[in-house]
Amino acid sequence: MNRADLQRLSRLRIQEARSLFRVGHYSGSYYLAGYAVECALKPCIARETQKFDFPDKERLKNSYTHRPDELLRVANLLGSFQAEMRANPKLKADWSVVNAWSEQSRYGIWSKADADAMIDAVEKRREGVLPWIKLHW
C-alpha cells in the first residue's frame, strides 16, 4: 500500500463515518472516524521514507500501530503538532477526543454524541485533526 492509497483510504473512511452517522449507526461511525486519522497518519510516515534506503527496524516496527499518538511520533510530527496545539486550544481539545480512540473502539457501543464529537474533532475545517495532518501527508 502506498501513500496515495492510504490518503484515499483516509478520505473514504471519513465519508463512511459520516454516512453511518446519518443513518444512526453511531458505533461504526465513531470507529471509522478514528480509523480515518490512522490512515491519514501513515502517509506521513511513508513520506519520510527515502527511496532505496534500508528502513530502520525500530521505526518500521513502530509504524505498525493503531495509536494516533504513536503514529504522530513515528511520522516525526509530534513536536510541530504540540506547538500547533499550544497555539490553537480547539485543536488540543479535538486531539483529546481523537487520541482516546483505539483499535479496540470497534468493540464499543458508542452514542450519537460520541460519534458526533469524534467526527467533529476529526474533520473540522480549521481546527480538526484531519485537516492538520493533510498539511503533512
Side-chain angles (χ1 to χ4, degrees):
M1 186 162 269
N2 62 32
R3 282 179 60 217
D5 293 336
L6 288 162
Q7 291 166 344
R8 212 171 7 263
L9 194 57
S10 176
R11 288 189 290 268
L12 178 62
R13 291 299 173 253
I14 195 62
Q15 289 171 354
E16 291 169 341
R18 284 192 308 268
S19 294
L20 287 171
F21 185 87
R22 280 192 295 275
V23 297
H25 295 291
Y26 305 120
S27 294
S29 176
Y30 179 93
Y31 177 71
L32 287 176
Y35 193 48
V37 172
E38 177 184 333
C39 292
L41 284 167
K42 292 194 174 181
C44 298
I45 295 168
R47 182 179 185 190
E48 294 287 310
T49 304
Q50 300 298 315
K51 188 175 183 178
F52 304 120
D53 279 359
F54 194 78
D56 176 73
K57 182 179 179 181
E58 193 66 23
R59 184 160 192 251
L60 182 63
K61 182 182 89 158
N62 291 337
S63 298
Y64 285 88
T65 183
H66 300 282
R67 292 184 42 209
D69 58 341
E70 181 65 14
L71 290 169
L72 259 180
R73 188 188 66 72
V74 175
N76 295 321
L77 293 173
L78 187 57
S80 58
F81 191 71
Q82 288 173 332
E84 184 66 27
M85 286 192 296
R86 283 191 295 275
N88 184 347
K90 290 179 182 178
L91 179 63
K92 184 176 182 177
D94 289 338
W95 179 248
S96 69
V97 172
V98 169
N99 201 38
W101 178 91
S102 77
E103 69 177 308
Q104 298 305 310
S105 298
R106 66 183 170 223
Y107 300 114
I109 304 297
W110 302 97
S111 69
K112 180 179 183 180
D114 295 327
D116 189 42
M118 177 62 83
I119 290 172
D120 189 51
V122 168
E123 71 168 356
K124 270 186 212 154
R125 289 265 184 244
R126 294 184 187 261
E127 294 89 19
V129 172
L130 198 53
W132 188 90
I133 293 169
K134 286 180 177 181
L135 296 174
H136 303 278
W137 73 3

